[in-house]
Amino acid sequence: MSTPRGPAAGDGDAQLVERTLAGESHAFELLVLKYQRRIQRLIARMVRDSNLVEDIAQETFIRAYRALHQFRGDAQFYTWLYRIAVNAAKKTLLDLKHDPLVNEASLQPAREDDETFRPTHELMTDETPETLLAAREIAAAVQAALEALPEDLRQAVTLREIEGLSYEEIAVVMACPVGTVRSRIFRAREAISTRVRPMLERQTGKRW
């Protein structure tokens, strides 16, 4: 009697793609299970309405499944999937801008009580009410600076700093040269630093 294959079987993405194309739907379910949280996190950084994140993620996987025969393995599967997610999120944002009935909350920055809010700077030692407050203020400033970036810069620095993609992978996701990716990330970091540096100087008394 054979044992059902699951995540513990150690299949790579390419093998799961091949199994899906061969008619084994369970293989694609494993890909969804593997990348669902990461795709949702990426979308949540682009679309601020948490009610839309799950729908866009579902649309991403539906598009990926339908286009799976077009995946040639020239890039990593998750890079290919991320590009589909980015395009799906962009389409939703474009639709929102043209729909007067859409709630404006979907285009607003994340709040600290939003589960997608991730403080970038945390003080790990000497925690006092004052230092914790300072850490929250700095994290909020970083988040605000991130949200204020142009869409292309925000996407690039999010994929790099939060999702951990390489410059080459980001170039595939964003369909642009690696040099453009590097430029966007540099400009994004500079913009964030300009906004956050004065707060750091006030907290430490040092100039950075």
Side-chain angles (χ1 to χ4, degrees):
M1 181 176 178
S2 62
T3 302
R5 302 181 69 180
D11 289 324
D13 292 349
Q15 286 73 28
L16 291 174
V17 169
E18 291 177 2
R19 289 168 55 189
T20 301
L21 292 174
E24 189 176 342
S25 61
H26 179 63
F28 190 75
E29 293 174 7
L30 297 181
L31 288 170
V32 174
L33 181 64
K34 182 176 182 180
Y35 291 113
Q36 186 173 24
R37 292 295 297 274
R38 293 175 67 179
I39 290 298
Q40 288 177 339
R41 186 169 66 242
L42 171 65
I43 294 169
R45 289 285 175 176
M46 299 178 62
V47 180
R48 301 313 322 159
D49 188 345
S50 59
N51 295 323
L52 294 175
V53 171
E54 186 174 346
D55 290 342
I56 298 174
Q58 183 177 14
E59 176 67 18
T60 296
F61 286 109
I62 290 174
R63 290 186 183 186
Y65 183 78
R66 291 174 176 171
L68 201 60
H69 63 283
Q70 299 175 6
F71 176 69
R72 303 302 181 191
D74 297 331
Q76 295 290 331
F77 173 78
Y78 70 83
T79 305
W80 181 76
L81 184 64
Y82 273 32
R83 184 171 182 177
I84 294 176
V86 167
N87 288 336
K90 281 184 175 180
K91 182 180 183 302
T92 297
L93 289 173
L94 185 62
D95 291 343
L96 291 177
K97 291 178 181 178
H98 289 84
D99 186 350
L101 300 180
V102 170
N103 190 324
E104 287 297 322
S106 61
L107 300 177
Q108 296 303 312
R111 300 177 303 168
E112 188 172 350
D113 58 358
D114 186 340
E115 65 178 6
T116 65
F117 180 89
R118 294 292 183 270
T120 304
H121 296 276
E122 296 182 359
L123 298 182
M124 303 303 295
T125 61
D126 299 326
E127 290 186 349
T128 66
E130 291 77 16
T131 59
L132 290 175
L133 177 60
R136 285 195 293 268
E137 290 177 347
I138 292 171
V142 171
Q143 183 67 28
L146 183 64
E147 295 291 345
L149 292 173
E151 183 179 342
D152 56 347
L153 302 191
R154 184 173 66 252
Q155 286 180 19
V157 77
T158 295
L159 291 170
R160 178 62 178 173
E161 303 295 351
I162 298 175
E163 298 301 327
L165 271 63
S166 68
Y167 290 106
E168 291 76 14
E169 290 167 340
I170 297 171
V172 173
V173 170
M174 301 192 71
C176 65
V178 173
T180 301
V181 170
R182 293 184 182 277
S183 174
R184 289 176 179 176
I185 291 175
F186 175 80
R187 288 157 57 198
R189 287 172 175 167
E190 284 293 298
I192 293 173
S193 177
T194 298
R195 186 158 183 168
V196 175
R197 188 182 299 115
M199 297 187 67
L200 294 175
E201 291 174 355
R202 287 199 301 271
Q203 294 298 330
T204 63
K206 299 177 181 179
R207 295 194 62 84
W208 296 76

